Amino acid sequence: MRAGPSCRSTRGRWPRGRRAARERCRRPGGPRRLGEVEPVTDTPAPVVVIPRGGAWGERVATAARQRGLDPRVVPLITTEPPLDCGPLDRAVARVAGYAWVVVTSATAVTVLAERVAGLPSGVCVAAVGEPTARAARAAGWVVDLVPEQASAAALVEALPDTDGTVLFPRSEIAAPTLVDGLRARGIDVDDVVAYRTVGTGDEPITLDAVPDAVLVTSGSVAREIARRMTPLDPRTLVACIGPGTAADARAAGLPVHVVGPTRSAEALLDAVVEALNPTAPEQEGHP
């Protein structure tokens, strides 16, 4: 990807040659609402990189178009089965014996739902946030708990005391926050690797246009961007789905310009549109 001189700070003016591209995101009263139709113009839409493919990538790309953005799906990560499927197979075989199934990603829901036709009625489900809860409901599960804050720490606090065992199907690289927190409360956790998150290759990634923004939806995505897409053009916004992911992005050596208010791709896209539409006086070159 080509690099160039820095054209703005996060609070400065957009360079004249790029400002027109942002006008597609402008409208009286703020960003467009979901589903509104953008009038046809000759102004190119801001390009945003969607870092995962599949159904998730298609859904986020559609949401990006509805907001007047030009999505480029660039799968940086994908999922593969665990190196040892034995623990997951054993968990599936005794799923009726768990008190709770706790899920912190839609991928964990998908992996378990592919192996279990339906959760027994006595098994409760806790999801880390609404996007994960939606995936669980789509799989036919009844979701009993979603914490107010979409974080593993909040889920640890919100889960009721239980004498039963909690099943936690997770990514191989998931942080230990949830398992350690529940065990510190005296809750038995069956900590099972359900899938591995891996990069899609090693070759550097270049696009036919400088992206106006790149979505960072996990620490693994941040590391792949740093590995395969840097140096980023100074005009490219790095938009992170939450504070934890923002911390991972900084640890990977990426700048962070936008942090989504909630852990959903739609909220992150709204934040990107807002960042590309600096209308307040202090955003127009008055620090």
Side-chain angles (χ1 to χ4, degrees):
M1 180 176 295
R2 63 185 181 87
S6 178
C7 294
R8 59 166 175 81
S9 69
T10 56
R11 297 170 64 87
R13 288 183 181 274
W14 294 108
R16 181 173 302 176
R18 302 290 291 177
R19 193 177 305 143
R22 272 73 181 183
E23 293 300 325
R24 188 172 174 86
C25 287
R26 293 183 182 271
R27 71 187 289 270
R32 294 190 315 282
R33 295 181 181 277
L34 180 66
E36 288 187 2
V37 177
E38 175 72 12
V40 176
T41 70
D42 293 331
T43 303
V47 172
V48 58
V49 173
I50 312 295
R52 286 168 48 197
W56 185 92
E58 292 175 8
R59 175 175 66 81
V60 176
T62 297
R65 292 187 193 97
Q66 291 170 335
R67 289 160 171 79
L69 302 170
D70 178 7
R72 307 294 176 88
V73 177
V74 181
L76 291 171
I77 60 171
T78 189
T79 58
E80 292 186 359
L83 294 176
D84 178 8
C85 290
L88 180 59
D89 291 338
R90 289 190 289 273
V92 167
R94 61 175 182 266
V95 68
Y98 292 108
W100 287 84
V101 172
V102 175
V103 283
T104 55
S105 71
T107 303
V109 173
T110 300
V111 169
L112 196 58
E114 286 175 349
R115 291 169 170 260
V116 179
L119 291 180
S121 58
V123 179
C124 297
V125 174
V128 73
E130 280 301 331
T132 304
R134 284 197 299 268
R137 295 184 188 107
W141 301 357
V142 175
V143 177
D144 301 278
L145 174 65
V146 181
E148 290 186 9
Q149 298 295 322
S151 71
L155 190 50
V156 168
E157 265 191 54
L159 196 77
D161 290 331
T162 177
D163 293 330
T165 301
V166 171
L167 172 62
F168 178 41
R170 62 169 177 86
S171 164
E172 183 183 40
I173 59 174
T177 306
L178 189 135
V179 173
D180 291 351
L182 291 180
R183 286 177 176 166
R185 290 182 49 194
I187 296 174
D188 184 34
V189 182
D190 196 356
D191 179 20
V192 176
V193 173
Y195 62 96
R196 293 181 298 130
T197 301
V198 299
T200 56
D202 296 315
E203 67 281 1
I205 291 173
T206 57
L207 301 175
D208 59 359
V210 173
D212 295 271
V214 56
L215 303 188
V216 185
T217 54
S218 67
S220 54
V221 166
R223 290 184 286 273
E224 289 302 305
I225 290 171
R227 191 169 70 91
R228 300 179 64 193
M229 293 186 68
T230 55
L232 291 169
D233 191 280
R235 293 167 289 185
T236 299
L237 293 176
V238 175
C240 299
I241 203 166
T245 301
D248 289 336
R250 294 187 184 102
L254 300 177
V256 174
H257 306 102
V258 177
V259 179
T262 63
R263 284 191 61 85
S264 78
E266 290 79 7
L268 182 56
L269 289 170
D270 287 339
V272 167
V273 170
E274 184 70 21
L276 294 175
N277 181 28
T279 55
E282 66 270 17
Q283 291 175 312
E284 288 291 340
H286 301 281

